[in-house]
């Protein structure tokens, strides 16, 4: 049997079983709608607003928060990581603190985030930031630490100061590591955003799912999951394209 | 840092309603450890959370690792399972929480289900990658020696894939822990997430901080324990 046929059978079995269970009447459609009902709900949510906005608007507000949190994490994390890779004292001061904080799951920041910045934009942005920040720092740090010593020696011979060393030697040399970190960081940030919106938010895709959950509408919840999956993949594809581009540029 | 924290909060530069002073944290810690907070004492919350994580994690490992090994070993299994798996994979574990709540309510069962989802994907992917990373001539050599199917699985596949499997388990464990805390924040009768959410409701920053330290501590201990198991399981890597 060809592999492609097997793949088709696998997918068919997945959706077939799902449809069968949904249609069998063993579970109420409220709890397990058929795949086609979920698809219909998905498109209905794109046309008709639910809890205030359409699906696209919810997604847009989630993406806005994501962009802010992720942007902040990159803007602070990458320079910090590079500087830690160069200045030993900074490394010695920040590393223990950073290691201790890293064990706190980003989601555990939600109560403080809400207390400090409210539940609108600030709170979720802080949660995304805490999710996306560590990979930025770690990868920039590693990139800077593993720069070939002869580059550093050459730059030093040419009389580069500390600042120029970081911006003109360490940064370009660490770009591949940093971009790899960005992908991890975006994935974690996007996840943390969903968590934050499930717990505290008044709009966004997580909020839509919570409302679907309290209306006991599995179709809405599943539509939200699909949208989250699609956007997550889109973000990763975009960053992977960036990564490929940088790789090509270097060779 | 600790000195700065003490000085800043003692002089009211940081408002106590925003971030607690060291003294308040100590008192909150004593309160939760001795008299209890949010219906249980600290060790009760920690044990409850850890128990749920270990349950979900165990189920995920028991289902995910064999599936990953099978997918890595047989192209047919891969072809059969992979498309459905690829559809589920991009959905982050936290996004399963509302679905689990709709299906199973706010109890422990929903949390175990979500933790299972969280740990399942990394377990499968890394076991699969682990089998694929075994050098083909190892497999050929084993086959030439004419060993049986089960011996092959036990003596070649599992040890060969073990480093990757453990990488997967570490990722799984972290995902489990994050997911559980999120699940408990959304609604739970006990657990560290409950401490956090109750602290947020009561606007009790010191207790929130205690909860966060608890989350970090229990997560750290579990990661460390897994590292210990990893060393024992793969003595040849020492």
């Amino acid at each position: 049997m060809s592999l492609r046929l097997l793949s088709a059978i696998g997918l068919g079995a997945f959706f077939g079983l799902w449809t069968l269970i949904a249609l069998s009447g063993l579970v109420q459609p409220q709890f397990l709608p058929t795949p086609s009902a979920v698809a219909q709900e998905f498109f209905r949510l794109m046309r008709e607003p639910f809890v205030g906005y359409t699906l696209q608007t919810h997604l847009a507000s989630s993406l806005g928060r994501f962009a802010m949190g992720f942007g902040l994490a990159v803007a602070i994390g990458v320079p910090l990581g590079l500087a830690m890779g160069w200045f030993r004292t900074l490394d010695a001061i920040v590393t223990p603190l950073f290691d201790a904080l890293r064990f706190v799951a980003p989601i555990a920041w939600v109560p403080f985030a809400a207390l400090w910045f409210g539940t609108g934009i600030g709170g979720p942005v802080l949660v995304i930031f805490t999710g996306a920040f560590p990979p930025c720092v770690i990868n920039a740090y590693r990139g800077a630490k593993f720069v070939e010593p002869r580059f550093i020696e050459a730059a030093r011979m040419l009389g580069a100061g500390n600042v120029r060393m970081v911006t003109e030697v360490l940064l370009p040399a660490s770009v591949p590591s940093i971009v790899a970190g960005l992908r991890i960081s975006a994935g974690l940030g996007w996840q943390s955003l969903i968590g934050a919106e499930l717990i505290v938010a008044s709009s966004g895709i997580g909020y839509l799912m919570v409302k679907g959950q309290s209306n006991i509408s599995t179709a809405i919840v599943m539509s939200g999951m699909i949208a989250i999956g699609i956007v997550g993949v889109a973000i990763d594809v975009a960053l992977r394209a960036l990564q490929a581009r940088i790789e090509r540029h270097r060779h | 840092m600790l000195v700065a924290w003490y000085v800043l909060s003692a002089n009211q530069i940081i408002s106590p309603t925003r971030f607690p002073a060291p003294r308040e944290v100590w008192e909150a810690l004593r309160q939760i450890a001795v008299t209890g907070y949010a219906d249980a004492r600290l060790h009760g919350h920690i044990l409850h959370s850890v128990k749920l994580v270990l349950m979900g994690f165990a189920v995920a490992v028991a289902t995910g690792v064999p599936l990953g090994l099978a997918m890595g070993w047989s192209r047919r299994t891969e072809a059969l399972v992979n498309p459905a798996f690829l559809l589920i994979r991009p959905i982050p574990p936290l996004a399963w929480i509302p679905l689990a709540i709709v299906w199973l309510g706010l109890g422990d069962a929903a949390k175990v289900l979500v933790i299972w989802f969280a740990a399942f994907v990394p377990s499968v992917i890394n076991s699969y990658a682990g089998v694929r990373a075994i050098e083909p001539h190892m497999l050929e050599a084993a086959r030439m020696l004419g060993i049986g199917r089960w011996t092959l699985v036990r003596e070649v596949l599992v040890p060969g894939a073990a480093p990757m499997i453990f990488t997967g388990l570490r990722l799984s464990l972290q995902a489990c822990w994050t997911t559980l805390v999120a699940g408990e924040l959304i609604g739970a009768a006990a657990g560290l997430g409950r401490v956090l959410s109750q602290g947020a409701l009561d606007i009790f920053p010191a207790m929130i901080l205690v909860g966060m330290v608890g989350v970090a501590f229990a997560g750290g201990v579990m990661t460390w324990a897994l590292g210990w198991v990893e060393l024992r399981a793969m003595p040849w890597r020492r």
Side-chain angles (χ1 to χ4, degrees):
Chain A
M1 220 185 316
S2 80
L3 294 177
R4 209 168 273 173
L5 187 63
L6 270 173
S7 293
I9 292 175
L11 265 187
F14 177 74
F15 285 108
L17 264 179
W18 177 358
T19 315
L20 218 70
I21 296 172
L23 288 178
S24 69
L26 287 174
V27 274
Q28 290 173 20
Q30 211 180 355
F31 290 107
L32 189 68
T34 58
S36 64
V38 174
Q40 271 172 22
E41 186 68 31
F42 187 86
F43 289 112
R44 198 183 63 79
L45 285 172
M46 285 174 67
R47 288 192 314 270
E48 297 167 22
F50 175 71
V51 288
Y53 310 97
T54 56
L55 185 63
Q56 299 94 306
T57 323
H58 279 297
L59 265 181
S61 77
S62 292
L63 273 173
R65 292 185 185 125
F66 171 77
M68 282 171 70
F70 180 62
L72 265 177
V74 175
I76 301 177
V78 171
L80 179 66
L82 286 176
M84 278 164 68
W86 182 244
F87 301 105
R88 290 257 166 77
T89 22
L90 188 69
D91 188 5
I93 296 170
V94 177
T95 301
L97 190 70
F98 183 71
D99 280 342
L101 283 177
R102 214 151 52 95
F103 271 112
V104 180
I107 285 301
W109 284 97
V110 167
F112 268 137
L115 191 63
W116 293 339
F117 299 110
T119 57
I121 296 176
V125 166
L126 175 65
V127 177
I128 300 161
F129 175 80
T130 56
F133 186 62
C136 289
V137 176
I138 294 170
N139 279 49
Y141 175 74
R142 278 198 198 141
K145 272 273 159 181
F146 295 120
V147 171
E148 286 185 45
R150 61 195 168 99
F151 288 153
I152 293 176
E153 275 159 31
R156 196 173 276 153
M157 287 242 292
L158 293 170
N162 275 331
V163 175
R164 287 193 64 191
M165 188 70 98
V166 172
T167 55
E168 285 175 30
V169 180
L170 297 187
L171 178 64
S174 343
V175 163
S177 169
I178 292 173
V179 177
L182 293 190
R183 275 183 65 194
I184 304 173
S185 149
L188 288 173
W190 183 240
Q191 253 222 61
S192 313
L193 164 88
I194 304 304
E197 287 187 345
L198 287 176
I199 300 163
V200 287
S202 46
S203 66
I205 193 75
Y207 179 70
L208 174 127
M209 289 170 72
V210 171
K211 287 295 158 189
Q213 170 209 313
S214 46
N215 289 352
I216 318 192
S217 165
T218 307
I220 293 179
V221 172
M222 285 184 165
S223 303
M225 290 166 71
I226 296 169
I228 289 169
I230 294 174
V231 174
V233 170
I235 293 173
D236 194 53
V237 166
L239 284 174
R240 211 183 298 178
L242 178 72
Q243 196 173 16
R245 187 164 221 175
I246 287 168
E247 286 293 311
R248 232 179 317 148
H249 193 68
R250 288 167 67 85
H251 293 302
Chain B
M1 271 305 288
L2 286 175
V3 173
W5 178 24
Y6 185 80
V7 171
L8 284 176
S9 50
N11 297 319
Q12 303 269 319
I13 295 170
I14 307 176
S15 151
T17 55
R18 299 261 167 178
F19 199 80
R23 218 188 134 73
E24 293 173 304
V25 175
W26 173 243
E27 272 157 20
L29 182 65
R30 267 192 44 193
Q31 183 193 340
I32 192 171
V34 178
T35 56
Y37 181 74
D39 305 330
R41 283 160 63 184
L42 183 61
H43 63 270
H45 287 298
I46 292 182
L47 286 180
H48 185 82
S49 294
V50 169
K51 187 185 79 188
L52 289 183
V53 162
L54 291 183
M55 276 164 67
F57 182 65
V59 179
V61 171
T63 50
V65 171
L67 181 66
L69 291 177
M71 281 166 68
W73 174 240
S74 133
R75 292 204 171 269
R76 291 196 172 168
T77 319
E78 189 197 346
L80 193 64
V81 180
N82 212 19
F85 186 70
L86 284 180
L87 282 182
I88 295 182
R89 191 179 151 180
I91 300 171
L94 295 182
W96 289 92
I97 293 176
L99 190 64
I101 293 176
V102 170
W103 283 350
L104 297 170
L106 286 170
D108 290 349
K111 286 176 189 80
V112 174
L113 179 71
V114 176
I115 294 166
W116 176 57
F117 281 136
F120 184 69
V121 171
S123 303
V124 172
I125 295 172
N126 284 282
S127 311
Y128 167 82
V131 174
R132 278 295 153 86
I134 296 175
E135 288 181 43
H137 56 249
M138 289 275 283
L139 294 176
E140 275 161 32
R143 221 173 267 149
M144 285 245 293
L145 290 169
I147 62 175
R149 202 163 242 249
W150 286 112
T151 327
L152 182 76
V153 170
R154 210 177 55 231
E155 303 285 332
V156 183
L157 281 192
V158 173
M164 282 298 283
I165 293 178
F166 272 102
T167 308
L169 295 190
R170 260 202 307 275
L171 292 173
S172 297
L173 191 63
Q174 278 162 11
C176 284
W177 190 233
T178 308
T179 312
L180 175 80
V181 173
E184 286 181 345
L185 269 168
I186 291 171
L192 286 166
R194 170 83 202 282
V195 175
L196 288 173
S197 63
Q198 193 66 40
L201 276 181
D202 297 347
I203 314 186
F204 189 174
M207 194 56 86
I208 298 176
L209 195 68
V210 169
M212 286 172 71
V213 172
V215 168
F217 173 75
V221 167
M222 280 192 291
T223 312
W224 174 82
L226 185 66
W228 186 82
V229 171
E230 185 175 346
L231 273 184
R232 287 292 135 111
M234 296 189 292
W236 64 89
R237 301 245 311 169
R238 239 183 273 189

